[in-house]
Amino acid sequence: MFEVEEWVGGLWHRAVTRYADDRYAEAAVTLTQMRKEVGVLYRALGGERAVRIDTAAERPVTLPRTLWQRVAGSHRRLALPYLNEEVLALPGEVALFPAPELNREVYRMLAATAALSPSVAGGLDWAQAACHRYVALCAAYPAMRSRYDALIKAYLPLRIPLQRLPSELQDRETRLRNALQHLEFAAMQASDMDGLQPPPFWLYPAQGEGTGPVRREAPAHETPPEDKPPAAAETDAGKKAQGEYVEDHDGDKGLLVFRLENLFSWSEYLKLDRTADDSPDEDAARIAEDLDHLSLSTQEFGGGQRIKLNLDLPSASEDDTPLGPGLYLPEWDYRCRRLLPDHCLLQPLLDHRAPPCAPPPQLRRAVKAVRARFEQMRPMRFWRRNQAEGEEIEMERWNEFCADRIAGGAFEQPMFKSFSGRLRDLDCLLLADLSMSTDAYVDNDRRVIDVISDALLLFSEALDAVGDRFALYGFSSCKRQHVRFHVIKNFAEPYTNAVRGRIVALRPGFYTRIGAAIRQSTTILRDQKASRRLLLILTDGKPNDLDLYEGRYGLEDTRQAVLEARRAGLIPFCITVDKEAGDYLPYLFGDKGYVLVNSIQRLPRELPKLYATLMESK
C-alpha cells in the first residue's frame, strides 16, 4: 500500500511541477557558460577588476502566482542579481526566453549596466537606479538601445497579463511596463515594486543592503520573554536567515534525531552557550547572513561549559622563538584609498627546536638529480692570458721580458692575466604560505605542508648547486596584530643541515594575510646588492584572515603590496596550486606574473624547473 501511495505521489508531484514551471529548460543558459564573456564585458566597459563574478543565492520574494504555482509551492524564491564592492552576483541559470540567445542577452545586459560608474545611480532608490542605469548605458553606447528594445519586446509578453493580476497591482504593473519601454520618462520607485515580478535584467540590493523585493514572513515562534536576548528584527529585516528560540536540548546526548516522513537524519550537537559568549565576532553579521535558519537556546549554561571556537596560539614553550619585539607595517585600505600606517604587527620567528638533518631518504635520489642538473648551469670562470692589463702578472712572460731587457732587445708585450667569465647577478627570496589549509591531506599519509617542505628542499638544493644567493621565509597570520613571519634561511646564512632541519620541521599555521608578508620580504630583498632580485611567492589559496582581510579587501591589499615590490625594482612572481587562481591572480600579479601547478604532488619537481626558466628569462 505504501509503495502505491508513493508512486501516485511521485506522479502528482511531477505533473504539478511541470504545469507550474514557466521556464524554457531546453533554451537555458548557465552562468558557467557565460562567466568568461560576462567577465570580459564587465571589465572592458570599466567595471572594477577586483569585483568577482559569482552566483546569486535565492531569496524569498512575493510574486503573483498562478493556481498551479500555488499548488506546487514554487516561485517563492528567486536568485536576484546584485552588485556591491566585492561581487557581481548573477543568477546561476537564465531560462526565461525560448531562444537561448535572448537568455544570453540577459547576462550581457546585467554585465553592461553593472560596469557603469556608481555615480550614475547616486542618490536614487534601487528601482529608479535600475532604470537610470539603462538610460546611461544607451547614452554612452547608442548601439545598446536597439538591443535593449529587442529584449523588452520579447520580455513583456511573458509577464502575467494585467487582467489576471489583483486590482491593487494592475496600476503599478502598467507603470512598470511603461517604465521598461520608455526609460527616459520612468517614474518607478522601490515601493511601487512590492508584489510585482522583478525584471530579470535589473540590479537589486544585496541581502541586508536596503529594501528590495524580499518577502518578510512573520516568525513562527512566540515573542520571546524579556529575559531572553533581544532580537534584531528591525536592523536585519532583509537577512535571509530566520530565527527562533528553542528549549535546551538534552546535553547528555551527542546526537539529534530528526524524522522527516520515514527518513532519519543524524547530526552532531555541541552544547554551546551563545547567549553568554563574551568574545565578539567581528564577522558575525556576514556569517549570520549566510544561514537559512538560526536557533538560539533559551537556557544559560555555567561558565565552565563555555567554549571559544577560535584558533589558539601555541604557548611560548611550544612556539618558535620571536626575533625582536615585532615590526609594525602599513596595510592598504581600498575603501579610503590609502595606506593605514602601523596597521599590522609582523613577528619574525625562528624554529629553535628543529634538529639539523640531511635530506630525507625518499628525496635523496631527487636531490642528487637536481644538484647534477643545476651544477651544469653554474657560471664557469677562467683566466684570460696575454692581456694588456689584469689582476695578476704572468710570471713566464715577465721572466722573458727581463731576460730580453738584459740582452738589450726588450720590447713591451702583454704580460697580464685576468679572471673572466659570465656571472649571474641574481638574488632570490622565496616566501611560502604556511596557512592552516596546508594541513589538508593530498593522499593517505601526506599533507600539503609535507609536499611544500619537499619542494623547498629541492628548490634549496638547486640554488645551492647553481651558486645563487637565496633566502627562505614562511608566513601565516591570526588577525592583523599577529602576522607570523618564519625565518627559514636568510641571505647571510649558508645552506647547511640546520636549514634543512627547519624546512623538514615546517608546520601549518593559521590564516593568509599575505600583504604584510610581501612588504617585509620586499624590505629584505631591496637591501640586497644584486642587479636582479626575484621574489617568489608560493601559495595554495587567496588572501584571508579572521578580521576584514577577506574578499576584495585582502585582494586589494595584496595587489598594492605587489605594486610596491615592483616599484622597488623587484620581480614578484607567484606559484600557486589553487585551481581557482585564474579568477584573481591576473589582477594581483598580471597575466604573466604567476603560474598554476595543476597537482600539488608535482610541486617538488616543478619548482626547480620554474626557477630555471625564470632566471633565464627575467
Side-chain angles (χ1 to χ4, degrees), residues 239-315:
K239 308 291 184 182
K240 71 176 182 180
Q242 300 181 36
E244 69 171 345
Y245 288 93
V246 297
E247 294 301 322
D248 183 30
H249 300 291
D250 185 359
D252 297 331
K253 296 180 180 180
L255 295 173
L256 296 177
V257 183
F258 172 65
R259 178 164 183 155
L260 178 61
E261 296 185 351
N262 287 321
L263 298 178
F264 288 93
S265 175
W266 299 80
S267 62
E268 290 188 46
Y269 163 66
L270 291 177
K271 191 173 183 179
L272 304 181
D273 182 11
R274 297 305 299 174
T275 64
D277 189 0
D278 57 357
S279 58
D281 188 349
E282 299 176 3
D283 219 14
R286 184 188 62 80
I287 294 172
E289 186 178 335
D290 292 337
L291 297 176
D292 291 319
H293 197 84
L294 292 174
S295 295
L296 305 179
S297 174
T298 61
Q299 295 190 10
E300 296 190 4
F301 309 139
Q305 293 175 303
R306 300 179 188 176
I307 183 172
K308 280 189 177 182
L309 295 179
N310 199 349
L311 292 176
D312 292 329
L313 298 175
S315 62

Side-chain angles (χ1 to χ4, degrees), residues 113 116 120-121 124-138 145 148 175-176 178-189 193 199 201-203:
T113 56
L116 297 174
V120 168
L124 303 176
D125 66 36
W126 63 265
Q128 294 172 325
C131 296
H132 201 69
R133 280 182 177 275
Y134 280 100
V135 173
L137 179 67
C138 295
R145 183 66 200 218
Y148 174 81
R175 282 188 284 131
L176 174 59
N178 290 333
L180 292 174
Q181 292 175 293
H182 308 289
L183 292 171
E184 293 80 1
F185 307 103
M188 290 299 294
Q189 296 183 357
M193 292 297 300
F201 38 82
W202 278 10
L203 290 174

Side-chain angles (χ1 to χ4, degrees), residues 93 214 503:
E93 179 185 87
V214 180
I503 296 175

Side-chain angles (χ1 to χ4, degrees), residues 222 227 561:
E222 297 180 358
D227 59 339

Side-chain angles (χ1 to χ4, degrees), residues 371 374-375 377-380 422-430 459-472 489-495 525 528 530 532-534 536 608 610-616:
R371 293 193 71 91
F374 276 77
E375 281 173 356
M377 302 167 61
R378 180 187 285 269
M380 301 298 295
R422 184 174 61 90
L423 286 177
R424 186 171 52 251
D425 193 16
L426 174 66
D427 289 343
C428 177
L429 186 150
L430 189 145
F459 176 81
S460 302
E461 298 290 344
L463 269 68
D464 184 59
V466 83
D468 287 348
R469 296 179 70 249
F470 69 99
L472 304 174
K489 177 192 176 303
N490 59 32
F491 281 105
E493 183 179 10
Y495 181 61
L525 196 52
Q528 306 309 308
R532 291 191 301 166
R533 291 159 293 177
L534 179 62
L536 288 181
L610 288 170
Y611 177 77
T613 303
L614 287 171
M615 70 183 186
E616 294 297 332

Side-chain angles (χ1 to χ4, degrees), residues 7-23:
W7 177 71
V8 172
L11 289 178
W12 171 252
H13 172 72
R14 287 192 294 272
V16 171
T17 303
R18 184 173 66 253
Y19 282 110
D21 190 3
D22 58 358
R23 300 177 306 118

Side-chain angles (χ1 to χ4, degrees), residues 44 55 72 166 202 253-254 282 317 332 393-394 522 539 609:
T55 304
W202 278 10
K253 296 180 180 180
E282 299 176 3
S317 60
W332 178 259
I393 295 177
E394 288 194 68
T522 298
T539 181
K609 294 179 184 178

